[in-house]
Amino acid sequence: SRGLGDVYKRQKDRFVICVGLERFHNFKRYDILLAHEYFHYIQNKVCGTTSGSLIAELIREGICVHFSKIAFPGRKEYEYLFLTEQSFSGAKEIYEIICKKLKDGKLSRAELFSAASGELPPRAGYYTGYRLVSEFIGGREYSDPAELLGLEQQILMDFRDK
């Protein structure tokens, strides 16, 4: 597991949500984490697993963050990403650089999803995915989670076309 939680496929179409409690210290956001992981379960059940593309994985993470916002509205943006306000600002500042490196194939999963890796702030991949989805949907507020399920391929094509 690279994050605070994961969804694993066990047998056939049976998925299990796992939460690494040894790494999860702020239970005030536990509801957000469970909503996020639950939407991964829905994604895997309805859409299948990702193609293995790093960008597709980032987009899936961003869609799950948006689902958490639907499920538990009213929190600060950085809270949905399990970031500090400072880390959120740091990721925001270098977002364009991250996108360029992604397009050039110069970033790895480890760099994007680790606690901190050199020039990237902690959990930069989650911020990047969230921002890719946010830019695609613009100011539109989704209230039906089913609408989010159909966005992955559209966002992926939009990112590649930019």
Side-chain angles (χ1 to χ4, degrees):
S1 164
R2 67 169 184 271
L4 297 172
D6 271 308
V7 175
Y8 295 100
K9 189 171 186 177
R10 291 183 57 185
Q11 302 170 348
K12 298 184 183 182
D13 288 332
R14 296 185 68 197
F15 293 91
V16 176
I17 296 173
C18 301
V19 177
L21 295 178
E22 72 281 359
R23 290 180 292 190
F24 194 76
H25 304 289
N26 182 353
F27 285 90
K28 292 189 321 188
R29 299 184 198 170
Y30 192 66
D31 52 354
I32 295 171
L33 175 64
L34 287 180
H36 180 102
E37 295 305 328
Y38 177 73
F39 204 70
H40 276 306
Y41 162 76
I42 298 297
Q43 286 174 320
N44 291 335
K45 189 94 168 138
V46 173
C47 305
T49 56
T50 63
S51 62
S53 153
L54 178 56
I55 297 166
E57 190 175 336
L58 293 171
I59 291 167
R60 272 216 174 173
E61 292 297 340
I63 289 171
C64 287
V65 173
H66 278 274
F67 174 74
S68 297
K69 288 178 71 175
I70 292 170
F72 298 101
R75 307 279 179 89
K76 292 182 169 64
E77 262 186 310
Y78 63 86
E79 291 183 280
Y80 293 105
L81 294 156
F82 292 89
L83 294 172
T84 63
E85 197 168 358
Q86 181 180 357
S87 293
F88 184 86
S89 295
K92 189 175 188 176
E93 286 174 18
I94 64 167
Y95 171 72
E96 296 299 330
I97 295 167
I98 291 172
C99 286
K100 181 171 179 0
K101 286 185 174 190
L102 272 172
K103 285 189 175 194
D104 294 341
K106 294 183 177 174
L107 286 174
S108 68
R109 278 177 177 76
E111 290 172 298
L112 286 163
F113 289 110
S114 70
S117 64
E119 65 189 58
L120 298 182
R123 301 175 56 83
Y126 296 96
Y127 176 84
T128 302
Y130 170 71
R131 180 86 178 264
L132 288 170
V133 175
S134 297
E135 287 179 355
F136 181 82
I137 64 176
R140 181 162 181 217
E141 291 291 325
Y142 285 86
S143 58
D144 182 356
E147 291 179 295
L148 294 174
L149 286 172
L151 295 179
E152 186 176 333
Q153 289 304 312
Q154 296 171 50
I155 298 168
L156 187 55
M157 288 187 296
D158 185 63
F159 177 76
R160 290 181 176 155
D161 290 343
K162 285 184 181 178

